[in-house]
Amino acid sequence: MKAKVTIREVAKAAGVAIGTASRALNRTGRVSEQAIAAVTKAARDLGYTPDSVAQSMRTRSTGVVGLLVSDLANPLYARIITAVESRLLTAGYALLVASTHNDGQREKTLVDLFRRRRVDGLILGPCQTETPAYLDQLAADGPVIALDRDFQGDNAGVHVDHYNGALQATRYLLNLGHTRIALLTPGSVLRPGRERIVGYRDAFAERGLQPDPKLIRAEKSAMDFAFSEALSLLGSPAAPTAFLCLGTRILSGVLQALRHSGRLAPDDVSVVSIGDTDLSQLFSPAITSLTWDLEAVGTAVAELLLRRLDSTAPLEQERILLTTQMVLRESCGPVAKTAIDAVAVAVAVAVAARKTTRIAP
C-alpha cells in the first residue's frame, strides 16, 4: 500500500514549519493568508488527508453521531434516518446507525459501543424498556435527543402526535358504523403504541362505548405477529369489521389474513394504515392512511442535536410535536349489514349463555 502523506511532508513542500502547516489546515491560531494558500496547495498536490484519530484527540470531536431505532427494515424509520443523515452531513457530521429490536439490553450494549467510539451525540428511538431517567444518565456524557420516546430533565426530543392520530382514525371508522375495530400496534409500553391505544379508547368513550379489549393487539415483537393475530380475530364469532394497523409488516400481515379468510376491503372489512408506506399506496384498493411528515421528523431531530452540540447554546428542554393527518383512499366503507347481523347474533348467544343456569340432577 502507498504510504500515507504526513503533515511533515506538507509543511516541507509548502516551506513552512509543521506547526504553521497544522494551523493553516485547521484554520486555528495566527497564520498568514500566504501560508494558508501555500499549505493548501501543497496538501492538494500531495494528496494529503487529515488523520481523523489525531484530529479527534485534539478537538475532542469525532464528527460522528449515533442513532438507534427498533427496526431498520421499517420503511417509516428509513425515511426519518435519510433526513437525519442529510441534515447532519451538511453540518459536517457522519451518521452511525444500529437497530435495538426493542431489546433494552441490546440498546445499552449499542449505546456503550457508540460511547467507546466517542460519538459526539446520540439519537435514541423508542425501546420496549425505556425510562425517562435513562436519557438523563446518558446526557451527562454528551448530547442525547429522544425520537418518539419519553424524556425528562433538560433533554430534548421530537414526538409525533400518535394520540390525536389514533383518535382521528378511530372516529373515522366509528362514523362509518364500525364498532368492532381491531387495533394492531407494536407494544403497549413504547410511547407510540401507548398513545395510540389511549386515543383509540377515547374515541369510543366519546360515544359512550367501550371497545372489546380482545381487539387490541399490542405485541412486543412488533412486526411478525400480525398475520396470525389477524387471522385469529377474523375466525372469531364476532370478527372485527375494521382494522387499524401500523403500515409496515403489520399491514402486510393483515392484508394476507384477509385474503386467506376470503374477505375483501372495503366490501367486507375496512382497513386504515398508521403511517403511509409504499404498500398502502400501491395496494389495490389503495389503503386509507394516517400519515405525518417523516422528513420533518428527521430534520427536526438533527436540528435539535446540532443545537446541543453548539456549546454556546443554552441548555433547556426542547420538545417538538408533529401533527398527523388522514389520507382518504379506497380501503374503507360503511360496515356491511351481514357483519352487523353476525355480531348481533354472537352477542345474543354470549348473553344467553351467561343467563343459562345448570341444574344438578
Side-chain angles (χ1 to χ4, degrees):
M1 293 178 61
K2 184 179 178 180
K4 187 174 181 179
V5 176
T6 66
I7 195 169
R8 183 183 298 274
E9 293 172 278
V10 172
K12 182 178 180 180
V16 298
I18 295 175
T20 302
S22 177
R23 290 193 297 275
L25 290 171
N26 292 294
R27 301 296 195 273
T28 58
R30 298 179 62 181
V31 58
S32 68
E33 291 298 326
Q34 183 180 2
I36 291 175
V39 170
T40 301
K41 182 179 184 303
R44 184 173 58 250
D45 292 345
L46 294 172
Y48 171 78
T49 56
D51 186 330
S52 59
V53 174
Q55 277 190 334
S56 66
M57 291 178 66
R58 289 194 303 271
T59 64
R60 297 185 180 275
S61 171
T62 59
V64 177
V65 169
L67 187 152
L68 290 177
V69 294
S70 59
D71 183 6
L72 292 175
N74 185 333
L76 302 178
Y77 279 137
R79 289 171 60 186
I80 292 173
I81 292 169
T82 299
V84 171
E85 183 180 40
S86 177
R87 178 62 187 94
L88 290 179
L89 189 62
T90 62
Y93 289 90
L95 186 65
L96 186 61
V97 184
S99 176
T100 66
H101 303 304
N102 281 325
D103 184 329
Q105 186 55 52
R106 179 182 173 90
E107 180 184 68
K108 290 181 179 180
T109 299
L110 288 169
V111 167
D112 288 341
L113 175 62
F114 281 180
R115 291 165 77 179
R116 289 198 300 271
R117 294 294 182 94
R118 299 173 62 87
V119 296
D120 292 340
L122 286 171
I123 299 169
L124 300 184
C127 188
Q128 188 73 26
T129 55
E130 67 185 36
T131 58
Y134 180 53
L135 270 69
D136 280 348
Q137 298 170 10
L138 295 178
D141 295 327
V144 180
I145 304 299
L147 170 57
D148 237 345
R149 71 186 288 165
D150 295 320
F151 64 91
Q152 60 186 18
D154 294 326
N155 293 304
V158 176
H159 287 163
V160 174
D161 192 357
H162 297 293
Y163 168 80
N164 278 305
L167 185 73
Q168 180 185 15
T170 309
R171 282 173 177 166
Y172 174 68
L173 292 170
L174 289 169
N175 287 338
L176 291 174
H178 298 279
T179 56
R180 293 197 59 78
I181 304 168
L183 172 64
L184 278 67
T185 183
S188 58
V189 177
L190 281 74
R191 181 188 177 276
R194 188 180 68 241
E195 293 289 302
R196 289 175 192 136
I197 292 171
V198 175
Y200 166 88
R201 286 175 172 158
D202 284 355
F204 276 88
E206 289 176 346
R207 298 172 181 242
L209 302 174
Q210 186 172 355
D212 183 347
K214 294 179 182 178
L215 293 178
I216 301 175
R217 303 296 172 100
E219 299 290 334
K220 178 180 177 181
S221 179
M223 299 298 173
D224 299 322
F225 74 99
F227 173 68
S228 60
E229 292 289 330
L231 203 58
S232 173
L233 287 169
L234 290 168
S236 64
T241 62
F243 280 88
L244 179 56
C245 54
L246 195 67
T248 53
R249 289 201 296 271
I250 294 181
L251 174 61
S252 177
V254 168
L255 295 176
Q256 187 180 8
L258 290 181
R259 187 176 70 250
H260 273 68
S261 64
R263 289 174 171 84
L264 298 174
D267 296 340
D268 304 311
V269 178
S270 291
V271 180
V272 174
S273 168
I274 301 173
D276 200 12
T277 61
D278 289 345
L279 175 59
S280 60
Q281 295 175 36
L282 299 177
F283 187 81
S284 183
I287 306 298
T288 291
S289 298
L290 180 69
T291 187
W292 54 94
D293 192 332
L294 297 166
E295 286 73 20
V297 172
T299 301
V301 167
E303 290 288 356
L304 282 180
L305 182 62
L306 290 173
R307 285 205 288 272
R308 294 275 159 154
L309 289 169
D310 180 3
S311 58
T312 63
L315 188 65
E316 59 182 21
Q317 188 182 86
E318 296 177 278
R319 178 175 180 263
I320 297 174
L321 183 67
L322 283 89
T323 58
T324 61
Q325 61 182 1
M326 291 282 291
V327 178
L328 302 182
R329 298 195 179 104
E330 298 86 36
S331 64
C332 294
V335 63
K337 184 179 185 302
T338 54
I340 296 174
D341 293 342
V343 172
V345 170
V347 171
V349 170
V351 170
R354 284 197 296 268
K355 291 182 176 179
T356 300
T357 58
R358 291 183 177 273
I359 301 176

